Amino acid sequence: MSTTTTNFPSGLKPEELSAAGQNSTLPSKLSHKKVLDILNNKCSHSLQHLKQAHAIILRTGHFQDHYVSGTLVKCYANPHFNDFALAVRVFRQIPSPNVFVWNILLKGCLENNEPQMAVSSYKSILVFNSRPNKFTYPSLLKACAITGSVEEGTQFHAHVVKHGLSGDGHIKSAGIQMYSSFGLVKEARKILDDGDGESDVICWNAMIDGYLKCGLVEVAREVFESMPEKNIGSWNAMIRGLAKCGMIDSARKLFDDMSERDEISWSAIIDGYVKEGCFKEALEVFNEMQKQNIRPRKYILSSMLTACANLGALDLGRWIHSYMERNFIQMESVLGTALLDMYAKCGRLDTAWEVFENIPVKEVFTWNAMIGGLAIHGQADEAIKLFTKMNREKLKPNDITFIGVLNACAHAGMVDKGLALFHSVKEVYGIEPEIEHYGCVVDLLGRAGLLEEAEKFIGSMTVEPNAAIWGALANACRIHRNVELGEKVGWILLDMEPQNSGRYALLSNIYARAERWDDVARVRKLMKERGIKTIPGSTMIDLGGAVHEFKMGDGSHPETKEIHSMLKSIMEKMRMEGYSPKISQVPFDIDEEEKETALSLHSEKIAIAFGLLRTEPGTTLRVVKNLRVCEDCHSAFKLISQIYSRDIIMRDRARYHHFRNGVCSCKDFW
Ligand code: ZN
Ligand code: ZN
């Protein structure tokens, strides 16, 4: 934080002060108690009221009272006002602050994301000879944990012991948290076992949390089993920790065993599912939670928005948005960004823009999400415009921002602009390009058909090319039907990632497009020999808030019969429009007629047939495919959008496709 702000004697600018005084609706003489009353009750939401009270406090001399001036700082430090610098300015005007005032500042530092300031304040506390007390250390230890200040943290803890405060429960649990965050679980355990005073359940919970953060799952489980008493927090710590360690099934088991759950329990399990990519499960738990009338708060909402974004579940996403509005849930940056990301990924770029405009404080990741959203929709000009605006507003772009704009250029074929941007990453912004940025450039050149340049570029890289880099080149070879280079790169990829089924699929695809069936067979055979299983294609479609998932050749749906007769009628109509199935997209070892059937059973076609059956004419269909959409389905969707006059919005693993009137927004490059 900048500490160079001009010092006004009151902490407020003179004009602010006189304005506050003149417009004041408060009487000019107030008792000490009345002043505190006003500060505590009237000033928590209105900065204007707060400044009025401040003016009166100065005029009546109450500012000299530490209790009053400290409370004033506390009001200014309310994260709601988002102006901690002002709180610090007011703090600096307090003559020799006592420990009460310092503790308020420390807490304010934590609440306003300035933990480093808390750590460095400790020296001043000692210089001012304001004896730290049991309320000082929990904030300090927390600040050390956040900033990773091992040395200071250890020193502060030594002072705790010296001042005879080591028996205090709050200090104990903060100490356990701090040491475990440093990875020093033994030190943490020492506090739990040997410290003065009883360790309460909160300390035990902190210990479980600490073990799990350090990946010591079994030790955590033992502690959990052997705890003298457990509360909901103990269960929650286990669930959250197991989920974070990727053991979502164990977490779920504990969750199911709980006799009583609170919001944190639900949040822990939903968040765990989302982080593991189990979005459907997250949605199921969320629905269950709704049934039990538990009101979701903002953490759950932002996890759920991520799930919606990945499932293409626009209806639920919209419901969350209106829930936020109905309950006056603030559009702060994390939640707002999750919301705009959901809209962008569900194909509603217009609404994503609206949300973006309405987020009062936009962080770099907010801009990144909007730029990324524009990029996947192929709106490169808009993405670059936003990037320029970001620069104008003096916001420093980070590595992810560049991935966004470079991707936008790649998908729009803006080679020169993309290259210029890539060079600026280091030269203008001083950011060392990472492998992802190189990947974007390979993609940029490759998509534009500049395959040789792309290959040369890989050769000139200062970092070792990884599979993603070669993958981008191989994909470009597939798009531009360059078998020679594609073959070479395809085999490099098989060497690098022999277990990745997608690499085999890509190479066999490259051969298939050149009708080199023997080579297709060779790749398939190798795959079989190595025991590589393909990831089955699956497509999800969002209909009226429920997400339906279909797998290739799916016959499990209760309406299978209707779906299949719909599919048949779609195929007939398409054939009349001149559609012929692209047989090269099916494994060669089934005969021609079967091949055609296999194609018509691709999960995306089943999902679309179901969507056409279940929705009113003219309704936009939204689907999400787990793999890259195949060429056959892509051309089928173009025709379906024309024949049935439907917009089809599909997100596959590579990008966004918006089918309308027989064409796709990707211009057939994906
Ligand atoms: Zn397909
Ligand atoms: Zn497309």
Side-chain angles (χ1 to χ4, degrees):
M1 156 177 301
S2 149
T3 50
T4 52
T5 29
T6 326
N7 271 338
F8 299 106
S10 61
L12 285 185
K13 292 180 190 136
E15 64 274 18
E16 279 181 317
L17 198 54
S18 72
Q22 275 161 16
N23 301 332
S24 172
T25 50
L26 300 170
S28 57
K29 273 201 178 137
L30 285 170
S31 71
H32 175 262
K33 188 177 165 292
K34 185 81 189 154
V35 167
L36 284 172
D37 214 43
I38 290 171
L39 282 177
N40 284 324
N41 297 315
K42 281 209 172 142
C43 298
S44 53
H45 282 287
S46 155
L47 198 55
Q48 200 198 347
H49 283 165
L50 181 55
K51 284 182 178 172
Q52 285 174 5
H54 187 172
I56 288 168
I57 288 168
L58 289 170
R59 214 174 321 131
T60 52
H62 284 307
F63 194 74
Q64 300 303 317
D65 182 315
H66 278 147
Y67 202 63
V68 172
S69 49
T71 308
L72 185 64
V73 172
K74 187 175 90 183
C75 291
Y76 275 117
N78 186 341
H80 180 80
F81 295 135
N82 202 16
D83 193 356
F84 188 51
L86 181 54
V88 175
R89 243 152 58 206
V90 175
F91 170 83
R92 294 228 166 90
Q93 305 311 318
I94 303 176
S96 26
N98 67 2
V99 68
F100 167 77
V101 181
W102 277 109
N103 290 348
I104 281 173
L105 182 77
L106 294 179
K107 249 186 138 175
C109 289
L110 285 177
E111 285 169 356
N112 289 279
N113 230 342
E114 296 280 354
Q116 190 53 51
M117 193 176 181
V119 176
S120 49
S121 294
Y122 190 66
K123 263 194 210 125
S124 316
I125 300 182
L126 298 183
V127 169
F128 277 92
N129 210 9
S130 334
R131 279 181 62 96
N133 62 13
K134 65 173 184 175
F135 300 109
T136 315
Y137 287 105
S139 305
L140 279 174
L141 299 179
K142 265 182 213 153
C144 291
I146 298 169
T147 52
S149 312
V150 182
E151 202 179 307
E152 289 90 341
T154 316
Q155 189 202 349
F156 297 164
H157 188 240
H159 286 193
V160 165
V161 178
K162 202 176 97 188
H163 293 312
L165 295 170
S166 52
D168 179 84
H170 291 291
I171 299 185
K172 272 187 149 190
S173 65
I176 293 171
Q177 274 170 11
M178 178 188 78
Y179 280 121
S180 0
S181 80
F182 298 155
L184 303 169
V185 276
K186 274 197 188 135
E187 299 299 321
R189 188 64 198 247
K190 234 192 254 164
I191 296 181
L192 184 79
D193 292 340
D194 318 334
D196 304 320
E198 281 284 296
S199 285
D200 59 11
V201 65
I202 296 169
C203 295
W204 283 84
N205 293 351
M207 196 65 240
I208 292 181
D209 197 51
Y211 280 131
L212 287 164
K213 276 201 181 110
C214 297
L216 300 165
V217 177
E218 281 319 307
V219 191
R221 216 189 280 272
E222 267 166 42
V223 173
F224 179 72
E225 302 293 344
S226 68
M227 276 172 76
E229 56 159 327
K230 291 188 191 70
N231 63 8
I232 268 197
S234 329
W235 290 81
N236 290 345
M238 276 306 284
I239 293 172
R240 204 174 39 223
L242 287 169
K244 280 213 175 109
C245 294
M247 301 170 71
I248 188 71
D249 292 338
S250 312
R252 178 60 190 263
K253 223 183 144 282
L254 272 185
F255 178 81
D256 288 340
D257 285 346
M258 283 177 93
S259 53
E260 195 193 337
R261 306 183 184 110
D262 63 6
E263 223 248 359
I264 298 171
S265 330
W266 290 94
S267 167
I269 196 78
I270 289 178
D271 199 42
Y273 275 132
V274 169
K275 293 233 161 75
E276 281 295 298
C278 308
F279 304 113
K280 270 198 86 174
E281 287 80 355
L283 201 130
E284 279 158 19
V285 176
F286 183 73
N287 286 337
E288 184 56 35
M289 185 181 125
Q290 297 284 90
K291 272 187 213 145
Q292 302 200 9
N293 279 326
I294 295 174
R295 299 171 60 79
R297 266 180 274 170
K298 59 182 188 185
Y299 296 108
I300 291 193
L301 295 179
S302 70
S303 291
M304 281 317 297
L305 285 170
T306 307
C308 292
N310 281 284
L311 292 167
L314 180 62
D315 285 336
L316 178 59
R318 271 194 192 129
W319 182 87
I320 292 176
H321 190 180
S322 76
Y323 177 88
M324 283 165 60
E325 288 175 343
R326 271 180 285 135
N327 292 280
F328 306 103
I329 296 175
Q330 244 195 327
M331 188 76 85
E332 43 81 31
S333 51
V334 174
L335 193 54
T337 305
L339 188 64
L340 91 80
D341 189 52
M342 182 281 296
Y343 277 120
K345 289 199 173 130
C346 288
R348 291 303 303 266
L349 208 49
D350 46 349
T351 323
W353 264 120
E354 268 168 43
V355 174
F356 178 77
E357 300 291 352
N358 285 326
I359 300 175
V361 184
K362 300 180 185 66
E363 304 281 345
V364 175
F365 56 77
T366 314
W367 293 81
N368 289 351
M370 196 62 226
I371 290 174
L374 291 163
I376 49 170
H377 285 275
Q379 300 203 9
D381 286 327
E382 290 295 320
I384 289 164
K385 245 193 238 163
L386 200 58
F387 174 73
T388 317
K389 190 170 175 216
M390 189 177 174
N391 279 293
R392 250 201 330 266
E393 300 200 0
K394 302 269 181 295
L395 232 95
K396 198 174 171 338
N398 64 14
D399 50 338
I400 296 167
T401 320
F402 285 104
I403 293 176
V405 276
L406 287 172
N407 263 333
C409 292
H411 282 285
M414 298 165 69
V415 177
D416 293 339
K417 180 74 195 163
L419 286 177
L421 272 167
F422 174 73
H423 291 302
S424 76
V425 173
K426 189 171 179 180
E427 284 159 21
V428 181
Y429 298 93
I431 300 172
E432 197 58 46
E434 295 189 31
I435 194 102
E436 288 83 6
H437 299 114
Y438 287 101
C440 291
V441 175
V442 174
D443 198 38
L444 173 79
L445 296 168
R447 275 178 194 280
L450 303 167
L451 298 172
E452 258 177 55
E453 285 84 345
E455 198 189 5
K456 235 192 253 157
F457 178 80
I458 294 178
S460 74
M461 279 166 49
T462 48
V463 285
E464 189 70 25
N466 63 8
I469 299 270
W470 291 117
L473 183 57
N475 189 43
C477 292
R478 178 189 66 87
I479 295 174
H480 294 285
R481 296 176 192 266
N482 184 327
V483 197
E484 206 181 314
L485 184 58
E487 179 179 33
K488 190 173 109 186
V489 179
W491 285 102
I492 294 179
L493 277 167
L494 284 200
D495 274 348
M496 284 178 96
E497 293 191 335
Q499 297 304 313
N500 183 340
S501 64
R503 304 303 184 200
Y504 295 85
L506 183 56
L507 181 58
S508 94
N509 224 306
I510 289 168
Y511 283 134
R513 285 185 93 159
E515 304 193 349
R516 283 169 55 174
W517 307 112
D518 287 349
D519 290 312
V520 173
R522 188 154 60 100
V523 176
R524 300 269 166 185
K525 187 162 163 261
L526 185 64
M527 199 170 164
K528 225 178 215 166
E529 281 167 8
R530 292 184 178 169
I532 312 296
K533 294 225 160 47
T534 46
I535 301 167
S538 89
T539 303
M540 288 178 290
I541 182 163
D542 179 35
L543 296 175
V547 175
H548 301 259
E549 186 177 11
F550 294 94
K551 296 204 163 63
M552 179 160 173
D554 207 341
S556 64
H557 200 275
E559 287 166 62
T560 298
K561 243 181 147 178
E562 287 89 334
I563 296 171
H564 280 240
S565 66
M566 184 68 192
L567 262 176
K568 232 173 142 187
S569 118
I570 295 173
M571 288 306 221
E572 266 158 34
K573 284 195 176 149
M574 290 203 305
R575 227 170 257 125
M576 277 157 60
E577 295 290 325
Y579 162 83
S580 67
K582 292 204 174 47
I583 307 289
S584 69
Q585 297 290 316
V586 247
F588 66 98
D589 48 358
I590 37 184
D591 66 42
E592 292 294 312
E593 199 182 328
E594 264 181 60
K595 268 186 198 175
E596 216 183 298
T597 326
L599 271 177
S600 72
L601 292 180
H602 274 187
S603 62
E604 48 270 61
K605 289 204 190 79
I606 305 177
I608 286 296
F610 184 62
L612 287 172
L613 265 176
R614 275 289 196 88
T615 52
E616 295 293 319
T619 314
T620 301
L621 298 175
R622 295 164 199 284
V623 292
V624 176
K625 165 109 202 253
N626 66 335
L627 306 171
R628 193 198 310 274
V629 57
C630 84
E631 257 181 82
D632 182 66
C633 288
H634 195 269
S635 41
F637 280 17
K638 286 198 286 186
L639 267 174
I640 293 172
S641 74
Q642 191 175 21
I643 297 169
Y644 291 86
S645 308
R646 294 283 194 125
D647 278 23
I648 301 173
I649 295 178
M650 162 183 253
R651 196 171 80 232
D652 71 358
R653 223 181 53 184
R655 63 163 292 148
Y656 238 88
H657 304 268
H658 191 155
F659 302 91
R660 177 187 276 174
N661 288 332
V663 286
C664 180
S665 62
C666 76
K667 304 184 183 80
D668 299 338
F669 284 93
W670 75 94

